[in-house]
Amino acid sequence: MLTTTSRGISGRLDRMGMPPALFWGYIAVLIFMIGDGVESNYLAPHLAKHGFTLDSAATIISFYGITVTIGSWLAGALSTLWGPRRVMIIGGAIWIIFEILFLAVAMPAESFELSLLTYGIRGVAYPMFAYAFLVWIQAATKPEQRGSATGWFWFVFTGGLPTLGSAVAFGAIPLIGEYATFWLSLVLVCIGLAIGLLALRESTGFAPLIDQEYRAQHSTGRILLSGIDILVRQPRVGIAGMVRIINTTPYFGFFIFLPGFFTDQMGFSQSGYLALITIMGLVGMSFNPIIGRLSDQIGWRKILTFIGGLGSAVSMLLMYFVPQWTGGNYVLSLVFACLYGITLCGYVPAAALIAALCDKQDKGNAMAIYCLAAGLSTFIGPALYRVLNAEVGITGVVWIYAGLYVLSAALSWFFLITPADPGERHRVAHDNQRADLETEFS
């Protein structure tokens, strides 16, 4: 029986757009991703100082990126088959086991092969833990709250990786050293897993997202294949996946050339540039739940189109050109970088929208495509820069990135229409009300 205090807390969470039954899942993901993000800014230099070349360290981290992409797809596909909670537990267990092997065996031995294997396999873990919870959110949350609930997910996800994770590393390394800080990250991940295992009790995530009759009629392989052939059966899921890829393709591409652009061409110091990017990330992170809640009020597709697609195209161009027009003015550069971080939050409703394009049987499969798209963008952004830079230069690449955002806006507006969208429900209600009035006065 709920006490008055617990009912009051639940009411406040609900008004904030966070489903009260999933509260501990958000806390679990936050702490887990803090642990995962501890190493994000010092792993490669640490390896390079302890028996590895920079090239071999880059190879290890690149392979890790590939397994992250695989884990992103598995998070959705396996949630359909086994249920999100089980996938979160498996992801957490993989992270812990292979991190111990990486720290206790591969790194002390300074073995490239063992490091590639252990750290690489660990890459499937965090997407399975975090993105399985995102699937859980879409399955358990009422439609009118899915945008807000997704915004809170991205708030805790990016709050952990890399924001607070990097802060933990910054504070811990001077006190206990780099190697011991890796072990601290393991402790944090264990805490996050324990919270998710013990405190998160919402019933939807405990069961497969397909009914038992469907499960009995299809093999495991066929069900997993549904996480791929949904692109043929539900073409709009593929379109939504393209929109999600575009979401962060320029973002990851920027980090190839923005450091040099701001420091070499605009004259910023390295610390000044890092501060700019950090503040941009913090501001963007803070707006995730705000824009998610707004999308539940005026419509997912509207936010995705006008703030996400068109907004990001304009703000990204301003972030690139305003520093050049103003002779490297730092304050204005910071303002437009933060604006870009805010407009990226316009893509928050994409998860709610892609899940709404399908029935319950395919919800996990649709989310598998969403998660896969999120992983693919980490490769496509830098790859596009490498391919296009020699032909069109940095400025040309920036315009192409802007064109991709405009394309995502067009795809969202013309193809991602669903009755579950709050904006569509409001439009239908308004049309019905107007029809009733016309009938009454005719």
Side-chain angles (χ1 to χ4, degrees):
M1 182 174 180
L2 291 174
T3 65
T4 302
T5 301
S6 62
R7 283 197 299 268
I9 294 172
S10 295
R12 283 195 292 273
L13 291 173
D14 196 53
R15 288 191 295 273
M16 290 166 58
M18 180 184 290
L22 297 176
F23 171 76
W24 286 110
Y26 289 100
I27 300 300
V29 169
L30 174 63
I31 296 175
F32 190 102
M33 295 312 299
I34 291 174
D36 188 84
V38 166
E39 69 192 28
S40 59
N41 284 312
Y42 82 97
L43 175 63
H46 179 87
L47 292 176
K49 291 186 293 185
H50 295 83
F52 296 85
T53 65
L54 277 175
D55 286 344
S56 62
T59 301
I60 292 168
I61 294 171
S62 297
F63 180 61
Y64 173 84
I66 294 171
T67 59
V68 165
T69 302
I70 295 170
S72 299
W73 177 78
L74 287 174
L78 294 179
S79 291
T80 299
L81 184 65
W82 295 336
R85 182 177 186 269
R86 185 176 176 185
V87 177
M88 290 177 70
I89 293 170
I90 292 171
I94 291 172
W95 203 103
I96 292 167
I97 291 168
F98 283 91
E99 179 74 353
I100 291 172
L101 292 173
F102 177 59
L103 297 180
V105 179
M107 284 181 64
E110 297 183 356
S111 168
F112 170 77
E113 293 78 10
L114 286 176
S115 297
L116 187 72
L117 178 66
T118 55
Y119 189 71
I121 293 177
R122 206 206 79 185
V124 304
Y126 94 70
M128 291 180 67
F129 187 88
Y131 291 158
F133 180 63
L134 180 59
V135 175
W136 195 335
I137 291 170
Q138 304 309 316
T141 306
K142 53 191 177 184
E144 60 269 23
Q145 199 178 46
R146 284 183 189 151
S148 303
T150 304
W152 281 110
F153 169 82
W154 287 113
F155 177 83
V156 298
F157 183 96
T158 57
L161 174 67
T163 311
L164 294 178
S166 297
V168 169
F170 178 79
I173 289 173
L175 297 176
I176 61 176
E178 292 184 357
Y179 184 66
T181 300
F182 286 122
W183 288 99
L184 175 61
S185 72
L186 176 65
V187 172
L188 291 169
V189 165
C190 290
I191 293 172
L193 176 60
I195 292 173
L197 182 62
L198 301 175
L200 180 57
R201 311 306 298 173
E202 199 281 331
S203 60
T204 306
F206 280 68
L209 300 183
I210 52 174
D211 58 45
Q212 292 303 310
E213 181 179 353
Y214 183 88
R215 178 69 179 89
Q217 294 173 353
H218 297 81
S219 67
T220 298
R222 181 66 190 86
I223 294 171
L224 289 177
L225 185 62
S226 297
I228 299 174
D229 68 18
I230 191 175
L231 295 171
V232 177
R233 294 183 289 106
Q234 301 277 1
R236 291 193 301 160
V237 170
I239 293 172
M242 289 176 59
V243 170
R244 179 60 185 87
I245 289 173
I246 292 172
N247 172 193
T248 44
T249 285
Y251 178 80
F252 287 112
F254 273 158
F255 290 109
I256 302 297
F257 63 86
L258 274 192
F261 168 75
F262 277 112
T263 57
D264 298 338
Q265 297 184 40
M266 295 298 102
F268 292 6
S269 65
Q270 184 184 54
S271 60
Y273 165 73
L274 291 175
L276 180 144
I277 294 299
T278 300
I279 295 170
M280 181 187 91
L282 288 170
V283 170
M285 179 187 82
S286 301
F287 270 81
N288 276 316
I290 296 172
I291 293 183
R293 188 172 183 82
L294 182 64
S295 74
D296 286 333
Q297 296 172 347
I298 69 174
W300 303 331
R301 186 172 60 114
K302 289 179 182 176
I303 294 296
L304 199 57
T305 300
F306 295 107
I307 296 182
L310 297 180
S312 294
V314 172
S315 64
M316 183 202 66
L317 290 172
L318 290 172
M319 183 178 71
Y320 178 72
F321 284 111
V322 165
Q324 299 178 61
W325 296 338
T326 61
N329 183 285
Y330 188 84
V331 173
L332 288 177
S333 300
L334 180 61
V335 167
F336 288 106
C338 289
L339 180 63
Y340 178 56
I342 292 169
T343 58
L344 282 178
C345 300
Y347 284 92
V348 161
L353 203 151
I354 196 172
L357 294 175
C358 309
D359 58 21
K360 180 184 177 183
Q361 300 285 74
D362 268 330
K363 198 177 294 290
N365 294 324
M367 288 304 299
I369 297 301
Y370 174 90
C371 297
L372 175 64
L376 284 174
S377 68
T378 65
F379 296 104
I380 293 176
L384 273 180
Y385 169 74
R386 292 188 185 100
V387 170
L388 297 172
N389 182 49
E391 300 297 326
V392 298
I394 290 178
T395 300
V397 171
V398 169
W399 280 108
I400 290 170
Y401 283 164
L404 288 175
Y405 279 132
V406 174
L407 173 62
S408 83
L411 292 174
S412 301
W413 187 251
F414 292 109
F415 294 101
L416 302 185
I417 303 171
T418 171
D421 189 329
E424 192 66 15
R425 293 201 307 271
H426 295 159
R427 184 191 66 79
V428 171
H430 180 268
D431 289 348
N432 290 340
Q433 185 180 33
R434 185 173 62 181
D436 290 342
L437 289 173
E438 290 174 352
T439 301
E440 181 179 345
F441 289 101
S442 61

